Amino acid sequence: MLAAFTFNTAENLPVGLLELISESLRVSVSAVGLLVTGYGVTVALASLPLAHVMRAVPRRHVLTGLLAALVVSSLVAALATSYWLLLVARLLTALAQALFWAVMGPVAVGLFAPGVRGRVVGALSVAGSLALVLGVPAGTWLGRQTDWQVPVAVPAGPGIVSLVTIAVLLPTSRPEEERAAYGTGPDTRRFGIVLAAGTLAATGAFAGFTYLVKFLGDVSGFSPSTVTALFVAFGIACLAGVSITGALLDRFPRAALTTAVATQAMGMLGLYAAGTDPVAAVVFLVLMGGALGPVFMTTQNEMLHCAPGRTDIALAANSGAYNAGIAAGAALGGRVLSLADVRGAFLVGGLLTVGACAVLLAGRLLPRGVTRAGV
């Protein structure tokens, strides 16, 4: 959980430090924005290949290596005196995170009985969501009180704590011998359905979310200070969503995924239809926030069940597809913005999310496709 919190904080810190980094390194704000975009693209492209290359290495060694990379890249980023060195450090962190999300799930849930694994996934997701509610705001505040290098270096601390804990306490075993190495109910068709629905939902969400500040200001009429407060509310809603969903995930795994995607669609389409009313905008914003975290969490949980082969490979595919959806959604939203207005971005995003719901519902009508675990 601490490692998940640290990785997500490190990933998103530049969002709150854009202007400080821009002024310090004398580059444009859009160039600093590439530190976030390039990070997501790297995770999308590297997740599956890295998981395949490292599939035979004991997970204790992999996780300690990934956390060592996080510590080193955080310190290099903090000491960077040029934009390009900072970019290299960020890409190293992205490569480590790409494999971390694939390996972390099977290792963590494998330590518990199958009946409570959904709660374990929920706990890991709560830790990741806390990065947006606590880690990034705290890092932004610290950067404004000191320099941007200080919060960028901070993840090295909890990274070392996580590294030492895992190195000392986690048993060393062959990956294929771990208790959660393979899906509990291998199903190739379900795997494809969840992967497609998750990618569509991510594309839809970030077609709108990327331009949420503009929407809340231009359409809903909120002041800049109120928009900042609404972002905090969005993060709290996301944290509440993963907490509630995590508690129910073991009992209703498939319903949890469908509910999360449907709630996201309601939030986005509600913002499009009624976002000009401030009260309605807040209601639908909370709905969207409450669904954003659970969508990814529930797809990850599904992969632990329906993976047609190794769960780490399935989780890597899911993480890569989701991050590809994030990048595609941001690009699509920007294109819609140039042709219409910001409300149109939320309409397109909402319709894509409805498409994800349709994929999930159609999947229930199709026959189950079983693949022997380990193939």
Side-chain angles (χ1 to χ4, degrees):
M1 287 177 69
L2 180 61
F5 170 80
T6 306
F7 264 114
N8 271 17
T9 299
E11 175 185 3
N12 292 288
L13 266 178
V15 173
L17 304 172
L18 284 177
E19 294 183 355
L20 294 175
I21 297 175
S22 172
E23 292 174 3
S24 174
L25 299 182
R26 297 180 181 179
V27 294
S28 67
V29 171
S30 60
V32 181
L34 286 175
L35 297 175
V36 179
T37 306
Y39 194 107
V41 172
T42 300
V43 172
L45 295 177
S47 293
L48 196 54
L50 283 176
H52 184 74
V53 168
M54 304 297 289
R55 67 189 183 280
V57 181
R59 284 356 197 175
R60 175 171 167 266
H61 299 158
V62 172
L63 285 171
T64 52
L66 296 177
L67 287 164
L70 171 63
V71 171
V72 170
S73 62
S74 296
L75 295 176
V76 170
L79 296 173
T81 56
S82 71
Y83 172 80
W84 295 108
L85 182 57
L86 179 58
L87 179 60
V88 168
R90 288 282 298 171
L91 293 181
L92 175 58
T93 309
L95 289 172
Q97 184 165 339
L99 186 56
F100 174 78
W101 284 112
V103 172
M104 173 192 68
V107 170
V109 302
L111 300 173
F112 296 85
V116 298
R117 287 178 179 177
R119 273 181 277 173
V120 178
V121 174
L124 296 172
S125 297
V126 166
S129 298
L130 274 173
L132 298 177
V133 179
L134 178 62
V136 175
T140 302
W141 176 84
L142 183 60
R144 289 173 179 170
Q145 303 305 310
T146 55
D147 292 309
W148 66 266
Q149 292 93 339
V150 176
V152 167
V154 166
I160 291 174
V161 174
S162 300
L163 188 159
V164 172
T165 303
I166 289 172
V168 172
L169 297 178
L170 190 69
T172 301
S173 60
R174 293 169 59 86
E176 64 272 15
E177 295 174 351
E178 294 177 351
R179 290 195 294 173
Y182 298 97
T184 55
D187 187 341
T188 52
R189 192 177 297 278
R190 181 66 182 172
F191 170 78
I193 288 168
V194 172
L195 199 65
T199 305
L200 275 173
T203 304
F206 284 86
F209 176 72
T210 308
Y211 307 97
L212 187 56
V213 170
K214 184 173 179 61
F215 183 96
L216 294 174
D218 294 356
V219 178
S220 303
F222 291 111
S223 66
S225 59
T226 304
V227 169
T228 301
L230 289 175
F231 257 88
V232 175
F234 186 95
I236 293 173
C238 182
L239 180 61
V242 296
S243 300
I244 294 170
T245 305
L248 301 173
L249 204 50
D250 290 310
R251 295 175 60 192
F252 311 104
R254 293 198 177 191
L257 174 55
T258 305
T259 301
V261 174
T263 303
Q264 178 181 300
M266 288 173 56
M268 298 195 73
L269 293 177
L271 283 169
Y272 164 74
T276 52
D277 178 79
V279 175
V282 172
V283 171
F284 288 115
L285 178 71
V286 169
L287 276 179
M288 182 182 172
L292 190 61
V295 169
F296 181 66
M297 178 180 73
T298 50
T299 59
Q300 291 286 85
N301 185 64
E302 282 274 3
M303 292 296 159
L304 292 169
H305 292 290
C306 71
R310 286 266 294 270
T311 51
D312 55 353
I313 301 298
L315 288 167
N318 189 55
S319 179
Y322 191 87
N323 278 276
I326 291 174
L332 177 61
R335 181 61 177 166
V336 173
L337 201 63
S338 67
L339 298 175
D341 58 16
V342 71
R343 288 179 69 239
F346 278 79
L347 173 61
V348 171
L351 292 176
L352 283 170
T353 309
V354 170
C357 286
V359 169
L360 290 172
L361 294 175
R364 296 194 174 193
L365 305 176
L366 297 173
R368 188 172 182 267
V370 180
T371 298
R372 180 172 61 87
V375 175

